[in-house]
Amino acid sequence: MRIDGTHKKWLVASLIILSVATTVYVLYASNSVTGPRGGSAIGLTFGIIGSAFMIFSGLLAARKKVEVWRLGRAQSWMRGHLWLGFLSLPMILFHGGFKFGGPLTAVLMVLLILVVASGVFGAALQHYLPKVMTSEVPFETIFEQIDHVRAQLLAEADELIARASAPLKLVAAAPSGDLAATADSVLAADDALAPLRTFYTREMRPFLENSGERKQPLADAERARGIFDGLRRLLPAGTHETANNLEEICEEERQLRRQVRLHHLLHDWLMLHIPLSFALLLLGCVHAVMALRF
Amino acid sequence: MPRTKLTTKKLAQRIDMHYFKRPHPLRRWRTRLSILVPVLAIVWVGWAALTRNDRVYSSGKMSAGHAVLSARCGECHVKEAGSFSAKASDQACRACHDGPTHHANQKFTPNCSSCHAEHRGHKHLAATADVNCTQCHANLRAADGPTQFVIHIEGFGAAHPEFAALRPGSVDPGRIKLNHAAHLKAKILGPNGPVQLDCEDCHRTAASNAAWRFGAVQPAMKSMPAEMDPPSRVSARAYMSPILYAHNCIGCHALQFDKRFQESVPHDKPEIVHAFVVQKFEQYIATHPAELRVEGPARNLPQQPMPPAVRVLAPQQWVAERAAEVEQLLWRKTCAECHSLSLSAGAQLPAVAKSNITPRWFSHAVFSHDAHRFLKCLECHTGASKSQESADTLLPGIQTCERCHHTGEEAAESRCFECHTYHDWSKEKPVKGMLTISHSRRGS
């Protein structure tokens, strides 16, 4: 989600809440006899507010699972998730008086910091990367389809090479009176296509097959352009179209690779954010119950 | 032949329409982790519950004094039958500590934990905040009406009154005639020639075991009188012991009474001194009968009958005359050098005024000389080297304390607890220990 002018109301509301909470905390902490404590009336209030913000942020997962619920727009939920989730950190810090306390509260505090930090990191990525994706990956496809599309590219490239060799086979198969001349012409044509075949089998096919290899020459657009320019100089004019098509396939493969990288950047932080959020909410409930006990 | 142009339709045709039926590994891992991490959290908490380890729920490290009980939550957090709550109660505190009330007529008694906040780290629990004291002492009111104490105190350096002993009209009640200035002069006459006295030649704490420079070998040093004992928790190094003749004076101020004897009279009541003197003369005349022949006075006294030139006395008479002469000297000069004696009409022996030495000047505060041992005595007791009168109170004033004890990071502690104790430890009841070392270290 892009954080643009539409977030202005949320930003202002969040700043007001943060300012009021900070003022209350400073007054409370400076007048507290034994220092700020989570169990005091004000400390408990901060804890309840912070927990409410966290629970609301966590409900986004439920809202996403049941999209048909008529409980506000998805955008509003996401904005609430972003801003209230962010505010939960200062609220809980005020609740604990900026102390990590014992084992459970320390774990909770670390979890909250990781969740909020990963969320902020993710929000920043979600703000910038879609723009990058649009400009750098015109061939963008559904992420889950990338392997499927890549297999089709390989098949297409194989077919292009086979098609380029087809006239050669036709010449070889054609009945001719002058066998020696035919053989010479086949050999000559075969020699002319040798650089293409060598390039394809040694460089391009491994490039299309091994998507994880980054050091391949074709993985770099500049180097790939040079390689294809050189290849075209070695090939007869009639096969330049094939070389152009292969170059285009390489470009598409590079874009898919770029899309994979950007997708990981965009979504990998969720591998930390979501599991830790669940653990945080769960342990938060345990903390609330046990704090009432002790 | 050019490559097929990738129209939207062509792009769409490349898509496997059933892809959503096979979750991507990234999504699968996210789901797995979303289950695994909370499960790990449950296992952790569950394991703590199974092993009855409530430390997991501790809100912070225990204080220095209670750190050994960190694994024994249940010692303080006593759970009442049928109740889920297990809050630490005053009753649990009193199982190990008696906390005597501050004053019988105080308006309210706070909970233990309102002043001694536990689980705030490895600190000293007695180090309470001033607000705990000033919530009453800033505007003191007793439950039964006006109070005799200063009403407005907001902390040390904030409307704290001067020490009572230094307020106008207060004098040192001591009756021993002591001139500090004379004793601190250079080259005063000592037992073996000129000496320079130091403060510690006379003033030492009960814990000191060094030999007295001008004292006699005596039994163990006597501590201060029971009624003057400091609060029971104050170290023996805190206060100076009362001055004793045997420790501090005997070296220079011998109590010799007659040239016939090397011994001194005992430093005791006049009756005992008198008995001692009489006994000594009786023993002496028994072995020196020639001295019963006494020559008369060298000159005539006006309006008195002419005494015989030589008198022969009975032993009792000789002893009585010698004792009278010696006691005249003792009562009028030797003893009177330090003590105030009064001879009432008809009394044979004088009454000696009580020495009234003040062993503790602070009746509502504690002080430790040991904690200040790095300082020169005269740095605080500035008047000692010039004081000539016993009535001079040589207690340092509050301004002297404030030179070090004030707020700020590079200052000595200045909160109330540094000098004052809330609990009246003189009323402390003994507590019977209930724990064992191995028990206290086991998890609850």
Side-chain angles (χ1 to χ4, degrees), chain B residues 29 141 165 233 255 363:
Chain B
W29 271 108
R141 286 180 196 285
R233 303 189 168 199
L255 300 179
S363 52

Side-chain angles (χ1 to χ4, degrees), chain A residues 19-41:
Chain A
S19 307
V20 171
T22 307
T23 309
V24 170
Y25 177 76
V26 169
L27 290 172
Y28 153 64
S30 54
N31 292 310
S32 173
V33 175
T34 52
R37 290 185 309 121
S40 65

Side-chain angles (χ1 to χ4, degrees), chain B residues 297-373:
Chain B
R299 54 195 170 92
N300 295 333
L301 295 171
Q303 297 177 352
Q304 293 288 324
M306 180 72 74
V310 174
R311 294 181 297 146
V312 177
L313 303 176
Q316 291 84 358
Q317 191 185 358
W318 185 86
V319 168
E321 281 189 11
R322 295 292 79 73
E325 282 171 11
V326 162
E327 285 175 2
Q328 277 287 333
L329 183 71
L330 284 171
W331 310 146
R332 292 191 187 280
K333 186 174 183 296
T334 311
C335 298
E337 180 87 2
C338 303
H339 292 281
S340 300
L341 291 87
S342 55
L343 194 62
S344 51
Q348 195 183 357
L349 296 172
V352 182
K354 283 189 80 175
S355 57
N356 250 357
I357 294 173
T358 305
R360 266 189 75 206
W361 287 99
F362 298 136
S363 52
H364 297 289
V366 290
F367 176 82
S368 174
H369 279 97
D370 190 46
H372 296 82
R373 63 186 178 275

Side-chain angles (χ1 to χ4, degrees), chain B residues 225-245:
Chain B
E227 70 275 14
M228 288 298 186
D229 270 351
S232 59
R233 303 189 168 199
V234 173
S235 142
R237 296 175 183 276
Y239 292 102
M240 295 297 169
S241 291
I243 299 295
L244 291 179
Y245 170 81

Side-chain angles (χ1 to χ4, degrees), chain B residues 80-316:
Chain B
E80 288 177 22
S83 166
F84 175 71
S85 174
K87 305 272 184 201
S89 64
D90 285 5
Q91 203 179 349
C93 301
R94 289 199 189 100
C96 298
H97 310 270
D98 184 41
T101 311
H102 189 47
H103 278 293
N105 60 347
Q106 66 193 44
K107 286 196 86 174
F108 78 99
T109 303
N111 296 330
C112 302
S113 59
S114 69
C115 300
H116 305 293
E118 189 47 278
H119 291 289
R120 311 309 294 266
H122 210 66
K123 63 173 192 178
H124 193 44
L125 269 190
T128 57
D130 283 359
V131 185
N132 290 310
C133 307
T134 56
Q135 62 182 326
C136 287
H137 283 274
N139 190 17
L140 192 63
R141 286 180 196 285
D144 53 2
T147 169
Q148 55 171 320
F149 301 107
V150 177
I151 292 171
H152 300 292
I153 304 176
E154 291 173 6
F156 196 65
H160 192 290
E162 179 55 280
F163 303 136
L166 296 173
R167 289 177 204 157
S170 297
V171 291
D172 186 337
R175 298 299 300 275
I176 298 294
K177 299 170 202 164
L178 182 83
N179 184 331
H180 274 93
H183 280 81
L184 289 171
K185 269 185 188 167
K187 296 180 183 174
I188 60 171
L189 188 59
N192 302 309
V195 293
Q196 169 68 63
L197 285 179
D198 285 330
C199 301
E200 57 266 30
D201 286 332
C202 301
H203 300 285
R204 291 185 192 173
T205 66
S208 173
N209 55 8
W212 290 101
R213 196 172 155 204
F214 301 106
V217 176
Q218 292 283 325
M221 178 185 276
K222 188 185 168 197
S223 187
M224 54 188 67
E227 70 275 14
M228 288 298 186
D229 270 351
S232 59
R233 303 189 168 199
V234 173
S235 142
R237 296 175 183 276
Y239 292 102
M240 295 297 169
S241 291
I243 299 295
L244 291 179
Y245 170 81
H247 290 154
N248 314 117
C249 316
I250 195 169
C252 304
H253 298 275
L255 300 179
Q256 282 187 310
F257 62 99
D258 192 279
K259 63 186 177 185
R260 297 177 183 89
F261 306 102
Q262 289 296 313
E263 291 167 276
S264 297
V265 292
H267 184 256
D268 216 319
K269 293 173 186 167
E271 295 80 25
I272 293 170
V273 173
H274 172 72
F276 176 85
V277 169
V278 169
Q279 185 194 15
K280 281 291 166 188
F281 278 121
E282 282 173 349
Q283 289 169 352
Y284 180 83
I285 202 63
T287 53
H288 300 82
E291 291 201 24
L292 289 171
R293 186 184 167 83
V294 181
E295 290 184 4
R299 54 195 170 92
N300 295 333
L301 295 171
Q303 297 177 352
Q304 293 288 324
M306 180 72 74
V310 174
R311 294 181 297 146
V312 177
L313 303 176
Q316 291 84 358

